[in-house]
Amino acid sequence: MNKNLIVSLVIGVAILAMMSACTPQVVEKIVEKEVVKTVVVEQTKVVEAQPVIVKNAWGKELPAGALPVDKQVLTLPCQEGKYMDVAASFYDASKSCGGVMLWERLVMLDENSNVVPGVADKWEQSADGTSWTFHLRDGVKWSDGSPLVAKDFEFALKRQLDPKTGSGFTWFYSDIKNAGDVSEGKVPTDQLGVKATDEKTLVIETVGTIPYLPQLMAFPSSGPIPQKMVEEFGDKWSIDPKTCLTNGPWKLAEYSAGKQIVLDPNPNYVGIHTPIIEKLIFKPGTGTADFSAYQAGEIDGMFADQDTTPITPTDYKMIIADPRLRRELYAYPYFATRYFFINPTVKPWDDLKVRQAVAHAIDRQALLDVIYDGLGSPAYGMLPVGFPAYKPMDEVQKFDVKLAKQLLAEAGYPDGKGFPEITLWYKNDEEAKILTCTMVQSMLKENLGINVKLQPVETKVFNATFAKGDIAFGLQNWEFDFIDPSNFLNVWNPELGRHKEWNNTKFNELTKQAGSEKDPVKRLQMYEDANKILSEDIGGIFLYNWGHAQMWKPKVMGISKDTLGFMRVPYYSLGFHSLYVGE
C-alpha cells in the first residue's frame, strides 16, 4: 500500500476518535490487501429534550406559557367591610377583598352558574321533595389541619339566622324550614331545619319542594364556620391570620385594614378546585380611583362586585374609543335589573293611572344609550332577558308619551297641573345611578310636566331609610344570586322579600305556590304570570337590564368563556380558579 495513503488513514482515524470521544460509536474493519486498519465511524443520536413540568403549591401543573410560580400573583382593588366573615353578614363583609374565596361551600358554581361538587361530592333530594342531604367528601380539613365536619355547616347557618348575629341576609334562606321564625326570634335556632346527622352528612329541611336549594348552598354566605374560633375570638376571628381558619384553596396571610389584604395557598386544602394563581393581593378603596390605578399599572384588573360595575359610563366610553384599552375590556350582558320602587299606599302613587303614566313616560333605550353606550336591554318587568320564566312584555310599560299624558289626565292631572312634587331617592355611590335619576327627572318634566326633587344619599342612609319604609319613590338594583325566577320575584312578596309596601294577593299566592310546585312547566308558568302581574299593576317601574364590564391586563390569562360566548371572570363562583399570569 502507498505510504501516503497509510499515513492519511492513520491521521483520519485519530481525528475521528477525538471527535467521537463522548458519543456512541460504531466500529468497522477496513481490509485492504494485507493491511488491516480499524476505522471509528461517528454515529449521531438525536435526543429530544423532555419538558420541565412545573407545579404550584397545590401540585397543579402550570399551563404552557405561564410565568414561574413566584410570578403567579394578582393585585386587585376591593371595597373593605367590617370583616372577612361573609357567613355572618354578607352585606358587611369584605367580600370583594377575597372574602368569597376563603371558604369552599358544600357545592360550588362554575362559570355558567351550574352546580358542581364542593366540600360535598354528592347530594340528593328526598322522595317527598321536602329535604336535601349533602355528603361530605373524605378527609376535608380546616387550614390548621383539623377535621372539617358537617356540624361546621350546621353551626354557620344557625348562627347566620340567629337574630343576635344581625345578618341582614336572612331572607336569602327563607326556604329552609323555620328560617323565618328563627330569624325573627320567635323560635330558638335549634329548630332551624338544618341538622348534621354525622360527621359527613348534612340534612336541610325545606318549606316545600325547593329544587334550587343546592344553588343557595353554593352562594358565598353558605360556607362553613369554625365554631371554636367564633366563640373564643368573637367577630374579629376572621381578620387575624392566626385565627381565620379557612377550607378553600387560599388562606388569609395578611389583613392590614385600609392598606392591603393578602391571600396565600392553604396547604391543607382538600378539594378538586385547585387554582393556578398562588397569591392574591387586594387593595381596599372606595372604587373611585380604580381605573386610574389600573392605567398606572398598580392593579391587574377591575372586576364586577355586587350591584355595580366598576367601570363608570364615562370611562367606558373612553375605553371603547381607545384601541389598546378596548383589547383589555370584557363587556357582557348580565342578569340584573334596575328599577324604581314606589309606595302605592301613599298619594299620588295610590292611583294606578299615575303609576302607569310615569312608567310610559320613560325612554329606557335612551337611558341605555347615554349611560352604557347601548350595553344592556330595556326592562319592562323584573325578570331579565334570558332568565327562566322571562317573557317579553314590551307593551306593558312601553315608552309612549301620548298614552302617558292621557293616563295622567285621567288621573286628574292634565299636563301635570296640580301634581305634587315627588322626591326620588337614590344612592350616590355610582355614576350610572346618578345619570339614571337626572335623566328620568328631565323626562318626567318634559313628557308629563311633573316636578321631581332628587335626593341622593349615602348607601347607609338609603338602606336605613328604606328599611323603615320611609321612601315612597326610589331607585334600586337587583342582581341574580342563583338561576331561578324566585330569586328575582320573591323580592316583591312582603313575606319573602325586601319590598313590603306593594302587596298583591294574587302575586303573593303565585310566588308562594311556585316555590313548592314539583312540575317544572307549571312552576315556570306561575312565575311568568307573577312577573306579568307585577308589571301590569306597576309594583315597580322597570328601567333596564344593564351589562357588566371588566378590565384585565394582557398578562392575565385563562379568563373563562360562558355558553353565550362572552368572556369574563365570574367572581362569586369558580372564575378565579382558571386564571394565571402568562408571558
Side-chain angles (χ1 to χ4, degrees):
M1 178 180 283
N2 185 293
K3 289 184 178 181
N4 292 332
L5 176 60
I6 294 173
V7 172
S8 297
L9 285 170
V10 172
I11 294 173
V13 169
I15 293 172
L16 286 170
M18 289 187 290
M19 291 177 63
S20 60
C22 297
T23 61
Q25 301 165 349
V26 175
V27 179
E28 295 184 359
K29 286 186 178 180
I30 299 177
V31 181
E32 186 175 343
K33 293 184 180 180
E34 76 281 1
V35 181
V36 179
K37 296 293 181 182
T38 301
V39 179
V40 180
V41 181
E42 181 179 9
Q43 179 174 317
T44 303
K45 182 178 181 181
V46 178
V47 180
E48 293 184 4
Q50 295 297 319
V52 177
I53 297 176
V54 179
K55 296 184 178 181
N56 64 12
W58 302 278
K60 186 167 186 172
E61 184 177 338
L62 267 60
L67 292 183
V69 171
D70 62 344
K71 302 295 184 182
Q72 296 302 318
V73 181
L74 290 181
T75 301
L76 301 166
C78 73
Q79 295 187 16
E80 189 177 3
K82 294 195 299 185
Y83 34 60
M84 300 293 279
D85 186 359
V86 292
S89 179
F90 187 68
Y91 297 131
D92 294 328
S94 300
K95 52 186 184 292
S96 66
C97 299
V100 303
M101 299 178 174
L102 292 175
W103 294 278
E104 188 167 281
R105 285 78 80 186
L106 289 165
V107 291
M108 303 292 284
L109 297 179
D110 66 11
E111 64 273 13
N112 288 300
S113 296
N114 297 312
V115 177
V116 297
V119 175
D121 55 9
K122 58 182 178 178
W123 55 94
E124 70 274 347
Q125 191 173 21
S126 63
D128 64 359
T130 60
S131 69
W132 283 85
T133 301
F134 295 86
H135 306 275
L136 276 61
R137 66 177 66 252
D138 294 332
V140 288
K141 303 175 182 178
W142 288 107
S143 52
D144 66 350
S146 60
L148 186 149
V149 295
K151 192 78 174 177
D152 295 319
F153 286 95
E154 177 186 342
F155 171 75
L157 287 170
K158 288 182 175 179
R159 170 177 173 254
Q160 185 169 183
L161 287 163
D162 188 334
K164 295 178 183 177
T165 304
S167 169
F169 201 61
T170 57
W171 59 268
F172 187 75
Y173 298 97
S174 60
D175 293 308
I176 298 177
K177 184 179 178 181
N178 293 330
D181 289 340
V182 169
S183 64
E184 293 175 10
K186 296 179 180 178
V187 299
T189 57
D190 60 10
Q191 292 191 29
L192 184 68
V194 180
K195 181 71 175 178
T197 57
D198 58 45
E199 289 191 348
K200 293 180 57 180
T201 310
L202 185 76
V203 178
I204 300 178
E205 297 179 271
T206 56
V207 294
T209 303
I210 308 299
Y212 52 85
L213 186 90
Q215 294 195 58
L216 301 184
M217 294 302 104
F219 200 72
S221 59
S222 300
I225 292 296
Q227 184 173 355
K228 60 182 179 181
M229 293 299 175
V230 173
E231 292 177 346
E232 185 173 352
F233 299 100
D235 288 344
K236 296 186 180 299
W237 75 272
S238 67
I239 58 175
D240 185 343
K242 296 178 182 178
T243 59
C244 183
L245 298 189
T246 68
N247 73 310
W250 291 286
K251 64 181 178 66
L252 185 66
E254 178 186 347
Y255 193 106
S256 299
K259 296 180 180 178
Q260 72 174 19
I261 297 169
V262 181
L263 308 189
D264 273 350
N266 170 12
N268 287 304
Y269 174 66
V270 179
I272 59 175
H273 303 299
T274 50
I276 304 170
I277 295 293
E278 293 220 352
K279 183 188 291 289
L280 288 159
I281 302 172
F282 293 96
K283 298 291 186 179
T286 61
T288 56
D290 289 353
F291 186 53
S292 297
Y294 179 86
Q295 289 177 295
E298 297 170 3
I299 56 176
D300 299 316
M302 298 172 64
F303 56 92
D305 187 21
Q306 189 82 352
D307 293 338
T308 65
T309 185
I311 300 168
T312 67
T314 299
D315 291 339
Y316 182 78
K317 290 179 173 62
M318 187 268 285
I319 291 167
I320 61 176
D322 184 301
R324 181 183 64 82
L325 288 174
R326 186 164 187 162
R327 289 196 294 270
E328 301 172 14
L329 175 71
Y330 297 83
Y332 52 95
Y334 196 66
F335 290 142
T337 302
R338 183 160 284 156
Y339 60 92
F340 290 131
F341 65 92
I342 49 186
N343 185 345
T345 67
V346 300
K347 291 184 178 298
W349 303 112
D350 58 340
D351 190 330
L352 175 60
K353 290 184 182 294
V354 169
R355 305 199 298 271
Q356 291 173 328
V358 173
H360 287 302
I362 298 172
D363 187 345
R364 293 154 175 80
Q365 189 60 56
L367 294 175
L368 281 172
D369 290 343
V370 172
I371 300 170
Y372 288 102
D373 203 52
L375 178 63
S377 57
Y380 304 95
M382 184 65 175
L383 296 177
V385 176
F387 208 73
Y390 166 81
K391 185 178 181 181
M393 296 189 299
D394 302 15
E395 296 300 312
V396 179
Q397 295 192 16
K398 67 177 181 179
F399 176 52
D400 187 331
V401 176
K402 182 178 179 181
L403 177 59
K405 287 179 174 290
Q406 176 186 326
L407 288 165
L408 193 65
E410 291 175 1
Y413 307 103
D415 296 322
K417 294 178 181 177
F419 196 86
E421 182 181 70
I422 54 178
T423 300
L424 173 56
W425 287 68
Y426 61 94
K427 303 172 187 176
N428 62 0
D429 60 345
E430 186 184 348
E431 182 184 355
K433 296 173 186 175
I434 299 169
L435 288 173
T436 296
C437 291
T438 54
M439 285 184 68
V440 168
Q441 179 190 44
S442 298
M443 290 177 184
L444 295 184
K445 179 63 176 177
E446 180 180 348
N447 298 333
L448 294 178
I450 290 176
N451 293 316
V452 178
K453 177 185 177 182
L454 298 182
Q455 187 70 51
V457 294
E458 293 182 355
T459 299
K460 289 183 178 180
V461 175
F462 182 96
N463 291 342
T465 309
F466 172 71
K468 292 188 293 184
D470 290 342
I471 299 178
F473 185 37
L475 182 73
Q476 274 284 27
N477 305 321
W478 190 264
E479 294 189 44
F480 84 106
D481 300 307
F482 53 91
I483 307 293
D484 190 86
S486 63
N487 186 228
F488 275 86
L489 295 176
N490 284 2
V491 171
W492 295 92
N493 185 321
E495 295 182 29
L496 305 174
R498 65 183 182 184
H499 291 296
K500 309 297 183 182
E501 287 73 25
W502 182 76
N503 196 340
N504 184 291
T505 302
K506 182 60 177 176
F507 176 90
N508 297 344
E509 290 175 355
L510 280 171
T511 48
K512 286 194 70 174
Q513 291 172 5
S516 57
E517 176 57 54
K518 293 183 179 181
D519 186 325
V521 176
K522 289 182 179 178
R523 186 173 182 274
L524 286 181
Q525 185 61 55
M526 288 178 177
Y527 282 123
E528 185 181 309
D529 293 342
N531 192 39
K532 187 176 182 181
I533 290 171
L534 173 61
S535 183
E536 290 179 337
D537 197 42
I538 319 293
I541 297 173
F542 304 99
L543 303 174
Y544 51 81
N545 313 125
W546 74 98
H548 267 175
Q550 301 178 353
M551 295 291 290
W552 294 100
K553 293 294 184 182
K555 70 175 184 178
V556 181
M557 301 181 178
I559 297 175
S560 58
K561 180 184 291 186
D562 63 22
T563 53
L564 297 176
F566 292 97
M567 295 181 67
R568 78 282 186 272
V569 178
Y571 181 62
Y572 286 174
S573 61
L574 295 168
F576 268 69
H577 289 60
S578 62
L579 297 184
Y580 65 94
V581 179
E583 296 287 351

